[in-house]
Amino acid sequence: MGRWRALANAAFALAVLALGGFGLYQVATRRWHVQPTFHVQVKFSTVSGLEAGHRVRLQGMDAGVVEQVVAPGKPGEPVELVMRLDQRLRHLVRSDAIARILAEGMVGARVVEITPGRPDAPLVAEGGAIESEPPVELSDLMKRTGASLQKLDDLTRTAKTGLEEINAIAGSIREGKGSLGKFVGDEAAYQSLMSLTHRGERTLSAMEDNLAALKRTWPLSRYSDSRSFFEREKVLYQPGSRRDSRLFRDEELFEPGRAILTPVGRTRLDEVGRWCKQASQPQSEVVIAAFTNDDHDVDLAEVLTQEQADSVRKYLIEKHGIDSAGWFRSRKVAAVGFGTQVLRQQDPSLAQLPPRRVEIILFTPQT
Amino acid sequence: MIARGVWQLEQFGRFVGFVALTLAVLPRAVVERFGEVLWQFEQVAVKSLPIVLGAGTSVGLVTWLQTHRLLVANGAESALPSFLAVAVVVEIGPVLAGVLVASRMGAGLAAELGSMRLNEEIEARIVLGADPVPSLVAPRAIACALAVPLLTVLIDASALLGALVGEVTAGKLSPLLFWRDSLVFLRLSDVIPATLKTAVFGLLVGLIGCWTGLNADRSTEAVGRAATLGVVRATLAVFAANVILVPCIQLATEALGLGLL
């Protein structure tokens, strides 16, 4: 064999050896055989199948391998793991670092995951110990799930009992047992209850009417009037509406001391009627308010002013139809006799009004 | 029947003696007949290069294709390199190297020595004082034993390359990630014995090929039969040796506490 050929053979062999060496070096690097490393130990109550050669991660980074699993000397003692970690990551592993055992991926390979710890804690010594957190065992999880299911089961049973009781009650009602059941099952009882209700409603409304009538009857009326003192006044107080009014002294309209319209008064009211019709807005409201001075007896004055207001209202409605606005709508026309009452809140401009007067006020809501 | 069994047992005994003799003269042969060893090494290693590289790439690529399909279906595509590397480096590579060398050299050696015997070349050598075992068998056996581990390295490399080609063409992993992932499950305590055990395969192939050739009958047909027989015997020997060696290696690693590596 020639020299060059022999050299070529040698080169071939060396090249392949170099390739193999490179591969071995890579494998060794991946398992931290060749880099500078340091050792850390940690004790676990169970290592869940972890063995020497499993990987160690630091915050998820590949950081080393488990070098040794030391079985406990006595029952009850923890299993000790010795881990070989990359020296370059040493500054991250503090003495309060925590190690956990996790399952990785579908195949269920185990890895040790280390959480570094606080930055102010001292670095862990070579071969020093760090804390461990017990791994989540599937059996523990199953046990806890079982307990939860048991609780749920109890709850369901309680709920079921309650439902059964409710069902029993509903059943007995349906069968007409007990007072409620009898009532529910009996049509006649229902009918009589309904008629009672209707009668009650009617009675109540009749009672209301009676009460209203009673209030207007002297001497109760005095009591109720003094009570409704402010309510009557509210008719004239409509802040949301424009107020237009016509004012007449009572001798302009009525025979003296009476509630009978004079012919002059009628012509005056005709004017008012036309004015009201012109300002016929649907929501407008007419208030006829009659006042008198305190020459009269208080009660008689009430009657007089009320009758005066009513006769004005009657004339305006009958003659001019001011209670209708348009074809179909009606307009509210109120006649109120105020007697000798002096309105509390008066416009200063109205202070000089004659005490004996009839006011026809048109309130037009301003929307 | 019994006579034939006894005869076979006798042959086996002769073979054991032959192996012992060869192993005994092996170190001397390396020193004294280095040129012959180198020549045989070239025959075994360098000339096996095309078949070894071709087979390696093909096996890697096909393994990748088949495994990829399964793992993608289960959403574990990224686990492929690590599994594939373990399969290739720890088992497929060594066995494939052994089988390839067995088929190539088992036939070659048996035919070569068979025709030497047919030509009475062996007798001539003996007359000239050159015993066939140190001069012919030992250099061939040692050349095979040296060549097969190197071929294993080449098969491993080419198979990983084939898988990488598959991954780059149709997969999602980058070459760097593929390489780093493929190293995850490899341990030195797996890789080194797996590669070195192929030296035993090579030695067995060399010994069996030579033995078959030296014991062939003196006829042209017999040389052909010896070649076939050499391949069959050598291949069977490789598989049998693998079966025996793997548990032995595992026991040895365990006993020596090297499993942690």
Side-chain angles (χ1 to χ4, degrees):
Chain A
M1 185 187 281
R3 191 177 166 204
W4 291 111
R5 200 159 171 183
L7 282 177
N9 273 327
F12 167 79
L14 287 177
V16 176
L17 283 176
L19 184 65
F22 171 74
L24 281 182
Y25 179 77
Q26 289 287 323
V27 171
T29 311
R30 207 80 175 83
R31 304 198 79 83
W32 284 269
H33 285 298
V34 285
Q35 299 99 319
T37 53
F38 68 104
H39 292 81
V40 163
Q41 51 158 308
V42 59
K43 290 186 167 71
F44 281 101
S45 59
T46 167
V47 294
S48 5
L50 193 91
E51 282 177 44
H54 274 124
R55 295 191 165 266
V56 179
R57 289 188 181 159
L58 183 75
Q59 288 184 287
M61 294 184 293
D62 223 357
V65 288
V66 175
E67 200 172 77
Q68 218 180 336
V69 181
V70 184
K74 273 183 284 181
E77 283 182 359
V79 185
E80 189 183 304
L81 297 183
V82 180
M83 298 179 289
R84 181 170 63 222
L85 301 179
D86 197 327
Q87 179 73 34
R88 285 173 297 176
L89 299 172
R90 179 149 194 190
H91 64 283
L92 293 173
V93 185
R94 305 287 165 156
S95 57
D96 62 342
I98 294 170
R100 282 177 300 158
I101 297 177
L102 303 175
E104 184 194 39
M106 184 184 71
V107 253
R110 304 278 174 173
V111 289
V112 180
E113 167 82 34
I114 298 177
T115 319
R118 287 193 319 278
D120 51 344
L123 284 177
V124 69
E126 163 67 29
I130 59 172
E131 296 295 311
S132 73
E133 195 175 275
V136 179
E137 284 281 336
L138 195 62
S139 53
D140 288 353
L141 205 65
M142 291 302 282
K143 210 183 285 171
R144 256 184 286 164
T145 315
S148 307
L149 278 177
Q150 183 64 42
K151 261 183 220 164
L152 197 67
D153 214 27
D154 293 347
L155 196 69
T156 316
R157 207 171 298 130
T158 318
K160 207 170 152 192
T161 321
L163 270 178
E164 272 166 8
E165 273 167 25
I166 291 171
N167 271 338
I169 292 169
S172 65
I173 288 173
R174 217 178 298 125
E175 288 158 20
K177 285 181 199 157
S179 48
L180 193 60
K182 278 176 199 151
F183 175 73
V184 168
D186 193 352
E187 176 71 18
Y190 171 75
Q191 290 299 342
S192 71
L193 185 71
M194 286 311 286
S195 70
L196 189 68
T197 315
H198 288 313
R199 221 174 329 156
E201 271 170 23
R202 276 204 302 279
T203 313
L204 277 177
S205 68
M207 207 140 84
E208 260 172 37
D209 291 346
N210 290 344
L211 273 174
L214 205 61
K215 272 189 220 155
R216 297 177 69 155
T217 315
W218 190 87
L220 280 177
S221 66
R222 295 201 56 187
Y223 171 73
S224 68
D225 281 352
S226 65
R227 297 235 348 180
S228 64
F229 206 72
F230 307 120
E231 273 138 47
R232 197 160 54 174
E233 220 172 310
K234 278 183 200 154
V235 175
L236 297 178
Y237 183 66
Q238 299 193 8
S241 305
R242 200 182 62 202
R243 186 181 194 274
D244 293 308
S245 67
R246 292 292 147 96
L247 185 95
F248 302 99
R249 279 195 289 272
D250 73 337
E251 60 264 28
E252 281 180 88
L253 299 177
F254 299 105
E255 292 173 16
R258 307 281 298 272
I260 299 164
L261 291 165
T262 58
V264 181
R266 283 167 197 267
T267 50
R268 292 284 174 98
L269 287 181
D270 289 340
E271 274 175 48
V272 173
R274 280 193 290 279
W275 167 67
C276 280
K277 293 295 276 184
Q278 276 164 18
S280 70
Q281 269 197 15
Q283 272 89 38
S284 62
E285 203 179 305
V286 180
V287 177
I288 299 159
F291 300 87
T292 186
N293 61 6
D294 48 4
D295 291 353
H296 299 76
D297 176 80
V298 179
D299 297 324
L300 295 180
E302 292 259 319
V303 178
L304 176 69
T305 52
Q306 186 64 51
E307 292 220 349
Q308 282 179 340
D310 280 341
S311 63
V312 170
R313 178 177 186 265
K314 197 177 166 193
Y315 180 79
L316 286 175
I317 285 173
E318 282 177 359
K319 212 49 184 193
H320 298 283
I322 62 162
D323 61 337
S324 69
W327 288 99
F328 300 108
R329 294 219 193 91
S330 64
R331 181 154 61 175
K332 193 172 157 192
V333 181
V336 188
F338 283 86
T340 57
Q341 188 184 342
V342 176
L343 297 180
R344 282 171 304 156
Q345 191 196 10
Q346 267 305 359
D347 198 329
S349 64
L350 303 175
Q352 285 83 40
L353 288 175
R356 295 166 59 152
R357 66 184 189 273
V358 174
E359 270 186 274
I360 298 155
I361 309 156
L362 185 69
F363 288 107
T364 315
Q366 305 293 300
T367 49
Chain B
M1 186 70 187
I2 294 168
R4 186 167 172 76
V6 169
W7 182 80
Q8 280 190 344
L9 202 62
E10 188 194 324
Q11 289 296 311
F12 184 69
R14 282 177 198 277
F15 176 68
V16 172
F18 170 76
V19 170
L21 182 62
T22 313
L23 290 179
V25 299
L26 216 53
R28 222 180 72 207
V30 174
V31 180
E32 286 177 5
R33 297 171 190 275
F34 186 73
E36 177 72 9
V37 170
L38 200 60
W39 169 259
Q40 290 299 332
F41 175 81
E42 190 189 303
Q43 296 298 315
V44 182
V46 181
K47 297 202 169 163
S48 294
L49 213 51
I51 187 175
V52 158
L53 290 181
T57 314
S58 147
V59 162
L61 190 58
V62 170
T63 312
W64 183 85
L65 284 173
Q66 301 279 27
T67 330
H68 185 256
R69 187 174 53 84
L70 281 175
L71 288 180
V72 163
N74 290 300
E77 197 183 347
S78 58
L80 195 152
S82 46
F83 293 160
L84 193 135
V86 171
V88 164
V89 173
V90 174
E91 203 43 61
I92 296 180
V95 169
L96 192 62
V99 169
L100 285 178
V101 171
S103 39
R104 198 166 163 276
M105 295 318 291
L109 291 176
E112 189 188 3
L113 293 189
S115 47
M116 275 185 180
R117 192 170 145 73
L118 179 64
N119 297 339
E120 300 184 343
E121 206 177 309
I122 309 282
E123 278 80 358
R125 281 177 178 257
I126 293 171
V127 169
L128 290 172
D131 191 49
V133 171
S135 65
L136 294 173
V137 179
R140 284 166 173 75
I142 191 73
C144 284
L146 288 177
V148 183
L150 295 185
L151 294 180
T152 306
V153 171
L154 285 175
I155 285 194
D156 291 348
S158 56
L160 285 179
L161 207 66
L164 180 62
V165 166
E167 188 68 50
V168 168
T169 318
K172 288 177 188 156
L173 302 179
S174 71
L176 182 66
L177 187 60
F178 184 89
W179 174 239
R180 283 193 66 80
D181 273 1
S182 59
L183 296 174
V184 165
F185 290 140
L186 289 179
R187 296 183 302 177
L188 289 181
S189 54
D190 290 331
V191 176
I192 295 174
T195 311
L196 291 185
K197 79 182 175 188
T198 57
V200 178
F201 298 168
L203 194 65
L204 281 175
V205 168
L207 288 172
I208 289 171
C210 291
W211 171 255
T212 312
L214 286 177
N215 285 281
D217 292 334
R218 290 173 195 271
S219 72
T220 330
E221 282 171 47
V223 171
R225 270 205 308 277
T228 316
L229 201 60
V231 174
V232 172
R233 282 179 179 170
T235 311
L236 272 178
V238 165
F239 282 122
N242 198 29
V243 169
I244 295 166
L245 278 177
V246 167
C248 289
I249 289 168
Q250 284 179 351
L251 283 176
T253 357
E254 199 81 358
L256 294 173
L258 296 173
L260 317 175
L261 294 173

